[in-house]
Amino acid sequence: MEDRDGVVELVAQQFVQESMQVALEQFKYHLNSLGLLEALGTHPGSFRALFVDSIKPPTARDLIKVTYSIPGCNRRCLENDTICHWFNCLAEVQDGECPPLTVAMVLELLLGQRWCHPLGLRTP
């Protein structure tokens, strides 16, 4: 029981690796059938843009997902004001109007990380 977390992590990694192995083999097979596998191995930089998405700096809209109170409630007006100010502030930072502050710095202050994970924001 002392090493339970480590065992669970190893089992999860093994499961993911095995399930991805079949997909990877199929992907390689189809690339080979098109004659692209060898070209990919020879000139990997030429194909990078097709397979790897560049990490883009976060935008103000990436940082906030609003869950409002029901319409007509007193809190809704306050929420609208607050969100409006947040978006204005983040837009100014994003447009470079608040040097040297950047959106990445705001993100790091709020969440402890400077970039948005591809699957969405994750708090530490």
Side-chain angles (χ1 to χ4, degrees), residues 1-91:
M1 291 303 288
E2 294 173 7
D3 198 25
R4 179 190 66 193
D5 293 339
V7 171
V8 169
E9 185 176 336
L10 286 173
V11 169
Q13 285 178 355
Q14 185 66 26
F15 175 76
V16 169
Q17 287 175 352
E18 285 181 9
S19 64
M20 291 301 297
Q21 188 64 31
V22 173
L24 183 59
E25 291 300 324
Q26 288 178 353
F27 184 63
K28 286 169 53 178
Y29 171 79
H30 290 291
L31 280 178
N32 195 32
S33 69
L34 297 172
L36 291 175
L37 188 59
E38 184 179 331
L40 183 62
T42 308
H43 307 287
S46 301
F47 292 91
R48 183 171 183 79
L50 292 174
F51 297 108
V52 179
D53 188 21
S54 62
I55 296 177
K56 299 172 190 152
T59 64
R61 296 284 176 187
D62 295 331
L63 295 177
I64 298 175
K65 180 181 179 194
V66 181
T67 304
Y68 289 104
S69 298
I70 58 172
C73 131
N74 290 339
R75 289 185 300 179
R76 183 67 178 257
C77 290
L78 295 172
E79 292 168 350
N80 285 335
D81 288 343
T82 302
I83 294 304
C84 181
H85 288 297
W86 257 110
F87 279 138
N88 287 340
C89 176
L90 290 173

Coordinates of all heavy atoms in Angstrom, one line a residue, residues 1-91:
M1 N 0.8 -1.2 0.0 CA 0.0 0.0 0.0 C 0.9 1.3 0.0 O 0.4 2.3 -0.4 CB -0.9 0.0 1.2 CG -2.0 -1.0 1.2 SD -3.1 -0.9 -0.3 CE -4.0 0.6 0.1
E2 N 2.1 1.2 0.4 CA 3.0 2.3 0.5 C 3.2 2.9 -0.9 O 3.3 4.1 -1.1 CB 4.3 2.0 1.2 CG 4.1 1.7 2.6 CD 5.4 1.2 3.3 OE1 6.5 1.3 2.6 OE2 5.4 0.8 4.4
D3 N 3.4 2.0 -1.9 CA 3.7 2.4 -3.2 C 2.5 2.4 -4.2 O 2.7 2.2 -5.4 CB 4.9 1.5 -3.8 CG 5.6 2.1 -5.0 OD1 5.5 3.3 -5.1 OD2 6.1 1.3 -5.8
R4 N 1.3 2.5 -3.6 CA 0.1 2.4 -4.4 C 0.1 3.4 -5.5 O -0.3 3.1 -6.7 CB -1.1 2.6 -3.5 CG -2.4 2.5 -4.2 CD -3.5 2.9 -3.3 NE -3.3 4.4 -3.0 CZ -3.9 5.1 -2.1 NH1 -4.8 4.5 -1.3 NH2 -3.7 6.3 -1.9
D5 N 0.4 4.6 -5.2 CA 0.3 5.7 -6.3 C 1.3 5.4 -7.4 O 1.0 5.6 -8.6 CB 0.6 7.1 -5.7 CG -0.4 7.5 -4.7 OD1 -1.6 7.0 -4.8 OD2 -0.2 8.4 -3.9
G6 N 2.5 4.9 -7.1 CA 3.4 4.6 -8.1 C 3.0 3.4 -9.0 O 3.1 3.4 -10.2
V7 N 2.3 2.4 -8.4 CA 1.8 1.3 -9.2 C 0.7 1.7 -10.1 O 0.6 1.3 -11.2 CB 1.4 0.2 -8.2 CG1 0.6 -0.9 -8.9 CG2 2.6 -0.4 -7.5
V8 N -0.2 2.5 -9.6 CA -1.3 3.0 -10.4 C -0.8 3.8 -11.5 O -1.3 3.7 -12.7 CB -2.3 3.9 -9.5 CG1 -3.3 4.6 -10.4 CG2 -3.0 3.0 -8.5
E9 N 0.2 4.7 -11.3 CA 0.8 5.5 -12.4 C 1.4 4.6 -13.5 O 1.2 4.8 -14.7 CB 1.8 6.4 -11.8 CG 2.4 7.4 -12.9 CD 3.3 8.4 -12.3 OE1 3.2 8.7 -11.1 OE2 4.1 8.9 -13.1
L10 N 2.2 3.5 -13.0 CA 2.8 2.6 -14.0 C 1.7 1.9 -14.8 O 1.9 1.7 -16.0 CB 3.7 1.6 -13.3 CG 5.0 2.2 -12.8 CD1 5.8 1.2 -11.9 CD2 5.9 2.6 -13.9
V11 N 0.7 1.4 -14.2 CA -0.4 0.7 -14.9 C -1.0 1.6 -15.9 O -1.3 1.2 -17.0 CB -1.4 0.1 -13.9 CG1 -2.6 -0.4 -14.6 CG2 -0.8 -1.0 -13.1
A12 N -1.3 2.9 -15.5 CA -1.9 3.8 -16.4 C -1.0 4.1 -17.6 O -1.5 4.2 -18.7 CB -2.3 5.1 -15.7
Q13 N 0.3 4.3 -17.4 CA 1.2 4.5 -18.5 C 1.2 3.4 -19.4 O 1.2 3.5 -20.6 CB 2.6 4.8 -17.9 CG 2.8 6.2 -17.3 CD 4.2 6.4 -16.7 OE1 5.0 5.5 -16.7 NE2 4.4 7.6 -16.3
Q14 N 1.3 2.2 -18.9 CA 1.3 1.0 -19.7 C 0.1 0.8 -20.6 O 0.1 0.5 -21.7 CB 1.5 -0.3 -18.8 CG 1.7 -1.6 -19.6 CD 3.0 -1.6 -20.4 OE1 3.9 -0.9 -20.0 NE2 3.0 -2.3 -21.5
F15 N -1.1 1.1 -20.0 CA -2.4 1.1 -20.7 C -2.4 2.1 -21.8 O -2.7 1.7 -23.0 CB -3.5 1.3 -19.7 CG -4.8 1.4 -20.4 CD1 -5.5 0.2 -20.8 CD2 -5.5 2.6 -20.7 CE1 -6.7 0.3 -21.5 CE2 -6.7 2.7 -21.3 CZ -7.3 1.5 -21.7
V16 N -1.9 3.3 -21.6 CA -1.9 4.3 -22.6 C -0.9 4.0 -23.7 O -1.2 4.1 -24.9 CB -1.6 5.7 -22.0 CG1 -1.3 6.7 -23.1 CG2 -2.7 6.2 -21.1
Q17 N 0.3 3.5 -23.3 CA 1.3 3.1 -24.3 C 0.8 2.0 -25.2 O 1.0 2.0 -26.4 CB 2.6 2.8 -23.6 CG 3.3 3.9 -23.1 CD 4.6 3.6 -22.3 OE1 4.8 2.4 -22.0 NE2 5.3 4.6 -21.9
E18 N 0.2 0.9 -24.6 CA -0.3 -0.2 -25.4 C -1.4 0.3 -26.3 O -1.5 -0.2 -27.5 CB -0.8 -1.3 -24.5 CG 0.4 -2.1 -23.9 CD -0.1 -3.2 -23.0 OE1 -1.3 -3.6 -23.0 OE2 0.8 -3.8 -22.4
S19 N -2.4 1.1 -25.9 CA -3.5 1.5 -26.7 C -3.0 2.4 -27.8 O -3.5 2.4 -28.9 CB -4.6 2.2 -25.9 OG -4.1 3.4 -25.3
M20 N -2.0 3.2 -27.6 CA -1.4 4.1 -28.6 C -0.5 3.3 -29.6 O -0.4 3.8 -30.7 CB -0.6 5.2 -27.9 CG -1.5 6.2 -27.2 SD -2.7 7.0 -28.2 CE -1.7 7.9 -29.3
Q21 N 0.0 2.2 -29.2 CA 0.9 1.5 -30.0 C 0.2 1.0 -31.3 O 0.7 1.1 -32.4 CB 1.5 0.3 -29.3 CG 2.6 -0.5 -30.1 CD 3.8 0.4 -30.3 OE1 4.2 1.3 -29.5 NE2 4.5 0.2 -31.4
V22 N -1.0 0.5 -31.2 CA -1.8 0.0 -32.3 C -2.1 1.2 -33.3 O -1.9 1.0 -34.5 CB -3.1 -0.6 -31.8 CG1 -4.0 -1.0 -33.0 CG2 -2.8 -1.9 -31.0
A23 N -2.5 2.3 -32.7 CA -2.8 3.5 -33.6 C -1.5 3.9 -34.3 O -1.6 4.3 -35.4 CB -3.4 4.6 -32.7
L24 N -0.4 3.9 -33.6 CA 0.9 4.4 -34.2 C 1.3 3.4 -35.3 O 1.7 3.9 -36.4 CB 2.0 4.4 -33.1 CG 3.3 4.9 -33.5 CD1 3.2 6.3 -34.1 CD2 4.3 4.9 -32.4
E25 N 1.1 2.1 -35.1 CA 1.5 1.2 -36.1 C 0.6 1.4 -37.4 O 1.1 1.3 -38.5 CB 1.4 -0.3 -35.6 CG 2.4 -0.6 -34.6 CD 3.9 -0.5 -35.1 OE1 4.1 -0.8 -36.3 OE2 4.7 -0.1 -34.4
Q26 N -0.7 1.6 -37.2 CA -1.6 1.9 -38.3 C -1.2 3.1 -39.0 O -1.2 3.2 -40.3 CB -3.0 2.0 -37.8 CG -3.6 0.6 -37.4 CD -5.1 0.8 -36.9 OE1 -5.6 1.9 -36.8 NE2 -5.7 -0.3 -36.7
F27 N -0.9 4.2 -38.3 CA -0.4 5.4 -38.8 C 0.8 5.2 -39.7 O 0.9 5.7 -40.8 CB -0.2 6.4 -37.7 CG 0.2 7.8 -38.2 CD1 -0.7 8.6 -38.9 CD2 1.4 8.4 -37.8 CE1 -0.4 9.9 -39.3 CE2 1.7 9.7 -38.3 CZ 0.8 10.4 -39.0
K28 N 1.8 4.5 -39.2 CA 3.0 4.3 -39.9 C 2.7 3.4 -41.2 O 3.3 3.7 -42.2 CB 4.0 3.5 -39.0 CG 4.7 4.5 -38.0 CD 5.5 3.8 -36.9 CE 6.5 2.8 -37.4 NZ 7.3 2.2 -36.3
Y29 N 1.8 2.5 -41.1 CA 1.5 1.6 -42.2 C 0.9 2.5 -43.3 O 1.3 2.3 -44.5 CB 0.5 0.5 -41.8 CG -0.1 -0.2 -42.9 CD1 0.7 -1.3 -43.6 CD2 -1.3 0.0 -43.5 CE1 0.2 -2.0 -44.6 CE2 -1.8 -0.7 -44.5 CZ -1.1 -1.7 -45.1 OH -1.6 -2.4 -46.2
H30 N 0.0 3.4 -43.0 CA -0.7 4.2 -44.0 C 0.3 5.2 -44.6 O 0.2 5.5 -45.8 CB -1.9 4.8 -43.5 CG -3.0 3.8 -43.2 ND1 -3.7 3.2 -44.3 CD2 -3.6 3.3 -42.1 CE1 -4.6 2.4 -43.8 NE2 -4.5 2.4 -42.4
L31 N 1.2 5.8 -43.7 CA 2.2 6.7 -44.3 C 3.1 6.0 -45.3 O 3.5 6.5 -46.3 CB 3.0 7.3 -43.1 CG 2.5 8.4 -42.4 CD1 3.4 8.8 -41.2 CD2 2.2 9.6 -43.2
N32 N 3.5 4.7 -44.9 CA 4.3 3.9 -45.8 C 3.6 3.6 -47.1 O 4.2 3.6 -48.2 CB 4.8 2.6 -45.1 CG 5.9 2.0 -45.8 OD1 6.8 2.6 -46.4 ND2 6.0 0.7 -45.7
S33 N 2.3 3.3 -47.1 CA 1.6 3.0 -48.3 C 1.5 4.2 -49.2 O 1.4 4.0 -50.4 CB 0.2 2.5 -47.9 OG -0.6 3.5 -47.4
L34 N 1.6 5.4 -48.7 CA 1.6 6.6 -49.5 C 3.0 7.0 -49.9 O 3.2 8.0 -50.6 CB 0.9 7.7 -48.8 CG -0.5 7.5 -48.5 CD1 -1.0 8.6 -47.6 CD2 -1.4 7.4 -49.7
G35 N 4.0 6.3 -49.4 CA 5.4 6.6 -49.7 C 5.9 7.8 -48.9 O 7.0 8.4 -49.2
L36 N 5.2 8.2 -47.8 CA 5.6 9.3 -47.0 C 6.5 9.0 -45.8 O 7.2 9.9 -45.3 CB 4.4 10.1 -46.5 CG 3.5 10.8 -47.6 CD1 2.3 11.4 -46.9 CD2 4.3 11.9 -48.2
L37 N 6.5 7.7 -45.4 CA 7.3 7.4 -44.2 C 8.8 7.6 -44.4 O 9.4 8.2 -43.6 CB 7.0 5.9 -43.8 CG 7.6 5.5 -42.5 CD1 7.0 6.3 -41.4 CD2 7.2 4.0 -42.2
E38 N 9.3 7.2 -45.6 CA 10.7 7.4 -45.8 C 11.0 8.9 -46.0 O 12.0 9.4 -45.4 CB 11.1 6.7 -47.1 CG 12.6 6.7 -47.4 CD 12.9 6.0 -48.7 OE1 12.3 5.0 -49.0 OE2 13.9 6.4 -49.3
A39 N 10.1 9.6 -46.7 CA 10.4 11.1 -46.8 C 10.3 11.8 -45.5 O 11.1 12.7 -45.2 CB 9.3 11.7 -47.8
L40 N 9.4 11.3 -44.6 CA 9.3 11.9 -43.3 C 10.6 11.7 -42.5 O 11.1 12.6 -41.8 CB 8.1 11.3 -42.5 CG 7.8 11.8 -41.2 CD1 7.5 13.3 -41.2 CD2 6.6 11.1 -40.6
G41 N 11.2 10.5 -42.6 CA 12.4 10.2 -41.9 C 13.6 10.9 -42.5 O 14.5 11.3 -41.8
T42 N 13.6 11.2 -43.8 CA 14.7 11.9 -44.4 C 14.6 13.4 -44.2 O 15.7 14.0 -44.0 CB 14.7 11.6 -46.0 OG1 14.6 10.2 -46.2 CG2 15.9 12.2 -46.6
H43 N 13.4 14.0 -44.2 CA 13.3 15.4 -44.1 C 12.2 15.8 -43.1 O 11.2 16.3 -43.4 CB 12.8 16.0 -45.5 CG 13.7 15.7 -46.6 ND1 14.9 16.2 -46.8 CD2 13.5 14.8 -47.6 CE1 15.5 15.7 -47.9 NE2 14.6 14.8 -48.4
P44 N 12.5 15.5 -41.8 CA 11.5 15.7 -40.7 C 11.1 17.2 -40.6 O 9.9 17.4 -40.3 CB 12.2 15.2 -39.5 CG 13.6 15.2 -39.8 CD 13.8 15.0 -41.2
G45 N 12.0 18.1 -40.8 CA 11.6 19.5 -40.7 C 10.6 20.0 -41.7 O 9.8 20.8 -41.4
S46 N 10.6 19.4 -42.8 CA 9.6 19.8 -43.9 C 8.2 19.4 -43.5 O 7.2 20.0 -44.0 CB 9.9 19.1 -45.2 OG 11.2 19.5 -45.6
F47 N 8.0 18.3 -42.7 CA 6.7 17.9 -42.3 C 6.2 18.3 -41.0 O 5.1 18.1 -40.5 CB 6.7 16.3 -42.4 CG 6.8 15.8 -43.7 CD1 8.1 15.5 -44.3 CD2 5.7 15.5 -44.5 CE1 8.2 15.0 -45.5 CE2 5.8 15.0 -45.8 CZ 7.1 14.7 -46.3
R48 N 7.1 19.1 -40.3 CA 6.8 19.5 -38.9 C 5.5 20.2 -38.8 O 4.6 20.0 -37.9 CB 7.9 20.3 -38.3 CG 7.7 20.7 -36.9 CD 9.0 21.3 -36.3 NE 8.8 21.6 -34.9 CZ 8.8 20.8 -33.9 NH1 9.1 19.5 -34.2 NH2 8.7 21.2 -32.7
A49 N 5.2 21.2 -39.7 CA 4.0 22.0 -39.7 C 2.8 21.2 -39.9 O 1.7 21.5 -39.4 CB 4.1 23.1 -40.7
L50 N 2.9 20.0 -40.5 CA 1.7 19.2 -40.7 C 1.3 18.4 -39.5 O 0.2 18.1 -39.3 CB 2.0 18.1 -41.9 CG 2.1 18.7 -43.3 CD1 2.5 17.6 -44.2 CD2 0.8 19.3 -43.7
F51 N 2.3 18.0 -38.7 CA 2.1 17.1 -37.5 C 2.2 17.8 -36.2 O 1.7 17.2 -35.2 CB 3.1 15.9 -37.6 CG 2.9 15.1 -38.8 CD1 3.8 15.1 -39.8 CD2 1.8 14.3 -38.9 CE1 3.6 14.3 -41.0 CE2 1.6 13.5 -40.1 CZ 2.5 13.5 -41.1
V52 N 2.8 18.9 -36.1 CA 3.0 19.5 -34.8 C 2.4 21.0 -34.8 O 2.9 21.8 -35.6 CB 4.5 19.6 -34.4 CG1 4.7 20.3 -33.1 CG2 5.1 18.2 -34.4
D53 N 1.5 21.2 -33.9 CA 0.9 22.5 -33.8 C 1.8 23.4 -33.0 O 2.3 23.0 -31.9 CB -0.5 22.5 -33.2 CG -1.2 23.8 -33.2 OD1 -0.9 24.6 -34.0 OD2 -2.1 23.9 -32.4
S54 N 2.1 24.6 -33.4 CA 3.0 25.5 -32.7 C 2.2 26.0 -31.4 O 1.0 26.1 -31.5 CB 3.4 26.7 -33.5 OG 2.3 27.4 -33.9
I55 N 3.0 26.1 -30.3 CA 2.3 26.6 -29.1 C 2.1 28.1 -29.3 O 3.1 28.9 -29.5 CB 3.2 26.3 -27.9 CG1 3.3 24.8 -27.7 CG2 2.7 27.0 -26.6 CD1 4.3 24.4 -26.6
K56 N 0.9 28.5 -29.2 CA 0.6 29.9 -29.3 C 0.4 30.6 -27.9 O -0.1 29.9 -27.0 CB -0.8 30.1 -30.1 CG -0.7 29.5 -31.5 CD -2.1 29.5 -32.1 CE -2.0 28.6 -33.3 NZ -3.3 28.0 -33.7
P57 N 0.8 31.8 -27.8 CA 0.7 32.5 -26.5 C -0.8 32.6 -26.2 O -1.6 32.8 -27.1 CB 1.3 33.9 -26.7 CG 1.5 34.0 -28.2 CD 1.4 32.7 -28.8
P58 N -1.2 32.5 -25.0 CA -2.6 32.6 -24.6 C -3.2 33.9 -24.9 O -2.5 34.9 -24.8 CB -2.7 32.3 -23.1 CG -1.3 32.6 -22.7 CD -0.4 32.3 -23.8
T59 N -4.5 34.0 -25.3 CA -5.2 35.2 -25.4 C -6.1 35.5 -24.3 O -6.3 34.6 -23.4 CB -6.0 35.2 -26.7 OG1 -7.1 34.2 -26.6 CG2 -5.2 34.9 -28.0
A60 N -6.6 36.7 -24.2 CA -7.5 37.0 -23.1 C -8.7 36.0 -23.0 O -9.2 35.6 -21.9 CB -8.0 38.4 -23.2
R61 N -9.3 35.7 -24.1 CA -10.4 34.8 -24.2 C -10.1 33.4 -23.7 O -10.9 32.6 -23.3 CB -11.0 34.7 -25.6 CG -11.6 36.1 -26.1 CD -12.9 36.4 -25.4 NE -13.3 37.7 -25.8 CZ -14.4 38.3 -25.3 NH1 -15.1 37.7 -24.4 NH2 -14.7 39.5 -25.7
D62 N -8.8 33.0 -23.8 CA -8.4 31.7 -23.4 C -8.4 31.6 -21.9 O -8.5 30.5 -21.3 CB -7.0 31.3 -23.9 CG -6.9 31.2 -25.4 OD1 -7.9 30.8 -26.0 OD2 -5.8 31.5 -25.9
L63 N -8.2 32.7 -21.2 CA -8.0 32.7 -19.8 C -9.3 32.6 -18.9 O -9.3 32.1 -17.8 CB -7.3 33.9 -19.3 CG -5.9 34.1 -19.8 CD1 -5.3 35.4 -19.4 CD2 -5.0 33.0 -19.4
I64 N -10.4 33.0 -19.5 CA -11.6 33.1 -18.7 C -12.8 32.4 -19.4 O -13.1 32.7 -20.5 CB -12.0 34.6 -18.4 CG1 -10.9 35.3 -17.7 CG2 -13.3 34.7 -17.7 CD1 -11.2 36.8 -17.5
K65 N -13.4 31.5 -18.7 CA -14.6 30.9 -19.1 C -15.7 31.3 -18.1 O -15.6 30.9 -16.9 CB -14.5 29.3 -19.2 CG -15.8 28.7 -19.6 CD -15.7 27.2 -19.7 CE -17.1 26.8 -20.2 NZ -17.3 25.4 -20.0
V66 N -16.6 32.0 -18.5 CA -17.6 32.6 -17.6 C -18.8 31.7 -17.4 O -19.4 31.2 -18.3 CB -18.1 33.9 -18.2 CG1 -19.1 34.6 -17.2 CG2 -16.9 34.9 -18.5
T67 N -19.1 31.5 -16.1 CA -20.3 30.8 -15.7 C -21.2 31.8 -14.9 O -20.9 32.1 -13.8 CB -20.0 29.5 -14.9 OG1 -19.2 28.7 -15.6 CG2 -21.3 28.8 -14.5
Y68 N -22.1 32.4 -15.6 CA -22.9 33.4 -15.0 C -24.0 32.9 -14.1 O -24.5 31.7 -14.2 CB -23.6 34.3 -16.1 CG -22.7 35.1 -16.9 CD1 -22.3 34.8 -18.2 CD2 -22.2 36.3 -16.3 CE1 -21.5 35.6 -18.9 CE2 -21.4 37.2 -17.1 CZ -21.0 36.8 -18.3 OH -20.2 37.6 -19.1
S69 N -24.5 33.7 -13.2 CA -25.7 33.4 -12.4 C -26.9 33.6 -13.4 O -26.8 34.0 -14.5 CB -25.9 34.4 -11.3 OG -24.8 34.4 -10.4
I70 N -28.1 33.2 -12.9 CA -29.3 33.2 -13.7 C -29.6 34.7 -14.1 O -29.4 35.6 -13.3 CB -30.5 32.6 -13.1 CG1 -30.8 33.2 -11.7 CG2 -30.3 31.1 -12.9 CD1 -32.1 32.7 -11.1
P71 N -30.1 34.9 -15.3 CA -30.5 36.3 -15.8 C -31.5 36.9 -14.8 O -32.4 36.2 -14.3 CB -31.0 36.1 -17.2 CG -30.5 34.8 -17.6 CD -30.3 33.9 -16.4
G72 N -31.3 38.2 -14.6 CA -32.3 38.9 -13.7 C -31.9 39.0 -12.3 O -32.4 39.7 -11.5
C73 N -31.0 38.1 -11.9 CA -30.5 38.1 -10.5 C -29.6 39.3 -10.2 O -28.9 39.8 -11.1 CB -29.9 36.7 -10.2 SG -28.4 36.6 -9.4
N74 N -29.5 39.8 -9.0 CA -28.7 40.9 -8.6 C -27.2 40.7 -8.9 O -26.5 41.5 -9.3 CB -28.9 41.3 -7.2 CG -30.2 41.9 -6.9 OD1 -30.9 42.4 -7.8 ND2 -30.7 41.9 -5.7
R75 N -26.8 39.4 -8.7 CA -25.4 39.1 -8.9 C -25.0 39.2 -10.4 O -23.8 39.4 -10.7 CB -25.0 37.7 -8.4 CG -25.1 37.6 -6.8 CD -24.6 36.3 -6.4 NE -25.5 35.3 -6.9 CZ -25.4 34.0 -6.7 NH1 -24.5 33.5 -5.9 NH2 -26.3 33.1 -7.1
R76 N -25.9 39.0 -11.2 CA -25.6 38.9 -12.7 C -25.1 40.3 -13.1 O -24.1 40.3 -13.9 CB -26.9 38.6 -13.5 CG -26.7 38.5 -15.0 CD -25.8 37.3 -15.3 NE -25.6 37.1 -16.7 CZ -26.2 36.2 -17.5 NH1 -27.0 35.3 -16.9 NH2 -26.0 36.2 -18.7
C77 N -25.6 41.4 -12.6 CA -25.1 42.7 -13.0 C -23.7 42.9 -12.5 O -22.8 43.4 -13.3 CB -26.0 43.8 -12.4 SG -27.6 43.9 -13.2
L78 N -23.4 42.5 -11.3 CA -22.0 42.6 -10.8 C -21.1 41.7 -11.6 O -19.9 42.1 -11.9 CB -22.0 42.2 -9.3 CG -22.8 43.1 -8.3 CD1 -22.8 42.5 -6.9 CD2 -22.2 44.5 -8.3
E79 N -21.5 40.5 -11.9 CA -20.7 39.6 -12.8 C -20.4 40.2 -14.1 O -19.3 40.1 -14.6 CB -21.4 38.2 -12.9 CG -21.5 37.4 -11.7 CD -22.5 36.3 -11.8 OE1 -23.2 36.1 -12.8 OE2 -22.5 35.4 -10.8
N80 N -21.4 40.8 -14.7 CA -21.2 41.4 -16.0 C -20.1 42.5 -15.9 O -19.2 42.6 -16.8 CB -22.5 42.0 -16.6 CG -23.4 41.0 -17.1 OD1 -23.0 39.9 -17.5 ND2 -24.7 41.3 -17.1
D81 N -20.2 43.4 -14.9 CA -19.2 44.4 -14.7 C -17.8 43.9 -14.5 O -16.9 44.3 -15.1 CB -19.6 45.3 -13.5 CG -20.8 46.2 -13.8 OD1 -21.2 46.4 -14.9 OD2 -21.4 46.7 -12.8
T82 N -17.7 42.9 -13.6 CA -16.4 42.3 -13.3 C -15.8 41.6 -14.6 O -14.6 41.9 -14.9 CB -16.6 41.2 -12.2 OG1 -17.2 41.8 -11.1 CG2 -15.3 40.6 -11.9
I83 N -16.6 40.9 -15.3 CA -16.1 40.2 -16.5 C -15.7 41.3 -17.6 O -14.6 41.1 -18.2 CB -17.1 39.2 -17.1 CG1 -17.3 38.1 -16.1 CG2 -16.7 38.7 -18.5 CD1 -16.1 37.3 -15.7
C84 N -16.5 42.3 -17.7 CA -16.1 43.4 -18.6 C -14.8 44.0 -18.3 O -13.9 44.2 -19.2 CB -17.2 44.4 -18.6 SG -17.0 45.8 -19.8
H85 N -14.6 44.3 -17.0 CA -13.3 44.9 -16.6 C -12.1 43.9 -16.8 O -11.0 44.3 -17.3 CB -13.3 45.3 -15.1 CG -14.2 46.5 -14.9 ND1 -13.9 47.7 -15.4 CD2 -15.3 46.6 -14.2 CE1 -14.8 48.6 -15.0 NE2 -15.7 47.9 -14.3
W86 N -12.3 42.6 -16.5 CA -11.3 41.6 -16.7 C -10.9 41.5 -18.2 O -9.7 41.5 -18.6 CB -11.8 40.2 -16.2 CG -11.2 39.8 -14.9 CD1 -11.8 39.7 -13.8 CD2 -9.8 39.4 -14.7 NE1 -11.0 39.3 -12.8 CE2 -9.7 39.1 -13.3 CE3 -8.7 39.4 -15.5 CZ2 -8.6 38.7 -12.7 CZ3 -7.5 39.0 -14.9 CH2 -7.4 38.7 -13.5
F87 N -11.9 41.4 -19.1 CA -11.6 41.3 -20.5 C -10.9 42.6 -21.0 O -10.0 42.5 -21.8 CB -12.9 41.0 -21.3 CG -13.3 39.6 -21.3 CD1 -14.6 39.2 -21.2 CD2 -12.3 38.6 -21.5 CE1 -15.0 37.9 -21.2 CE2 -12.7 37.2 -21.5 CZ -14.0 36.9 -21.3
N88 N -11.3 43.7 -20.5 CA -10.7 45.0 -20.9 C -9.2 45.0 -20.5 O -8.3 45.4 -21.2 CB -11.4 46.2 -20.4 CG -12.7 46.5 -21.1 OD1 -12.9 46.0 -22.2 ND2 -13.6 47.2 -20.5
C89 N -9.0 44.6 -19.2 CA -7.6 44.6 -18.7 C -6.8 43.6 -19.5 O -5.7 43.9 -19.9 CB -7.7 44.2 -17.2 SG -6.1 44.0 -16.4
L90 N -7.3 42.4 -19.7 CA -6.5 41.4 -20.4 C -6.3 41.8 -21.9 O -5.2 41.5 -22.4 CB -7.2 40.0 -20.3 CG -7.1 39.4 -18.9 CD1 -8.0 38.1 -18.9 CD2 -5.7 39.1 -18.5
A91 N -7.2 42.4 -22.5 CA -7.1 42.9 -23.8 C -6.0 44.0 -23.9 O -5.2 44.0 -24.9 CB -8.4 43.5 -24.4

